[in-house]
């Protein structure tokens, strides 16, 4: 496996690969890889000749009071995991290479970015779309794989790709859960044993829902009773992130809640 730190080397590798007739699948990550990421890598392996995983903790998607400084990092372990899963290149650019000190260009998606995490994390999706656009310009992928765990992020990126004509096919891979149901996330490691067991209320509640028993207040009160602080519980059209209507094909039930200082997100998709 190659480890590349500079954008120019990444672009040259990608251009040479395309010239040799090889296709590239990108798996953008912020590192601290877990089984959820591994499922994205495996999907990428099945979609293209070469899988390129990026590991970059993107400062511009964190708000001033968020957990950028304590976001977990373990580059050595990330390398081992990528190596074990047939990743061709681990792309780990430096912050200074990604963002010049006078960086002044942003990519903003202005519809799907508004509700849910867009409300509670102002500027978050501007950081995500900007870095993903930059990663695509470095990795030059044919296809990119994102997880359903970040349902809104995946929709925003798919819209950006469509609107800006990126020649990249977006795959949204299923959400992966721990054996007890907790949605996998790099942030789970911040949970104390007690917080972690109380946080199971989120997945237990979501997985028990049917289209007939949807009530945001009931979900909120279950999470609060377990000691969580609800950020949002919303029931929306899974394509448009607008209120569910008669033609809705899939319903997204999305939750964000704090257990201790750790903000967890989770979701399920239901057919009406
Ligand atoms: O989902 C993530 O890990 C990040 O938001 C992403 C897509 C790698 C952009 O920094």
């Amino acid at each position: 496996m190659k480890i590349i730190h500079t954008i120019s080397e990444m672009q040259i590798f990608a251009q040479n690969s395309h010239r040799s007739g090889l296709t590239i699948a990108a798996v953008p990550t912020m590192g601290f890889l877990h089984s959820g990421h591994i499922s994205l890598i495996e999907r990428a392996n099945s979609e293209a000749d070469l899988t390129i995983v990026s590991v970059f903790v993107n400062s511009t998607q964190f708000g001033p009071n968020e957990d950028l400084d304590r976001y977990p990092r373990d580059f050595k372990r990330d390398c081992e995991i990528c190596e074990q899963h047939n990743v061709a290149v681990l792309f780990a650019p430096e912050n200074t290479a990604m963002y010049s000190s006078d960086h002044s260009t942003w990519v903003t998606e202005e519809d799907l970015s508004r509700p849910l995490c867009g409300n509670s994390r102002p500027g978050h999706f501007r950081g995500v779309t900007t870095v993903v656009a930059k990663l695509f310009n470095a990795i030059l992928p044919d296809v990119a794989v994102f997880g359903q765990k970040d349902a809104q992020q995946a929709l925003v990126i798919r819209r950006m790709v469509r609107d800006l004509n990126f020649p990249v096919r977006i795959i949204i891979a299923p959400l992966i859960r721990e054996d007890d149901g907790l949605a996998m996330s790099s942030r789970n490691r911040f949970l104390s044993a007690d917080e972690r067991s109380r946080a199971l209320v989120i997945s237990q509640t979501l997985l028990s829902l049917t289209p007939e028993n949807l009530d945001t207040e009931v979900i909120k009160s279950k999470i609060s009773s377990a000691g969580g602080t609800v950020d949002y519980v919303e029931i929306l059209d899974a394509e448009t992130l607008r209120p569910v209507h008669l033609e809705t094909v899939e319903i997204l039930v999305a939750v964000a809640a704090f257990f201790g200082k750790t903000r967890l997100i989770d979701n399920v998709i239901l057919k009406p």
Side-chain angles (χ1 to χ4, degrees), residues 61-62 99 122 253:
Q61 70 189 72
F62 289 79
Y99 294 111
V253 186

Side-chain angles (χ1 to χ4, degrees), residues 28-31 37 54 56 58 61 71 124 127-128 131-132 135 146 150 153 157:
T29 81
M30 297 207 296
H37 294 115
S54 63
F56 179 66
N58 176 40
Q61 70 189 72
Y71 195 83
H124 168 69
V128 170
V131 82
V132 171
L135 290 168
F146 296 88
D150 297 295
Q153 166 174 282
I157 290 168

Side-chain angles (χ1 to χ4, degrees), residues 26-29 40 128 132 136 143-150 153-154 157-158 161 168-174:
V27 181
T29 81
L40 305 183
V128 170
V132 171
F136 284 177
V143 49
V145 187
F146 296 88
Q148 173 64 22
K149 155 87 181 349
D150 297 295
Q153 166 174 282
I157 290 168
R158 204 165 66 183
V161 162
V168 182
R169 187 162 55 90
I170 300 298
I171 292 177
I172 305 179

Side-chain angles (χ1 to χ4, degrees), residues 30 56-64 66 68 95 98-99 103 105-106 121-132 134:
M30 297 207 296
F56 179 66
V57 181
N58 176 40
S59 55
T60 66
Q61 70 189 72
F62 289 79
E66 293 184 355
L68 172 63
N95 196 54
M98 288 294 275
Y99 294 111
H103 165 91
T105 305
W106 298 95
R121 303 184 67 189
H124 168 69
F125 286 115
R126 180 180 83 150
V128 170
T129 41
T130 300
V131 82
V132 171
K134 289 166 70 63

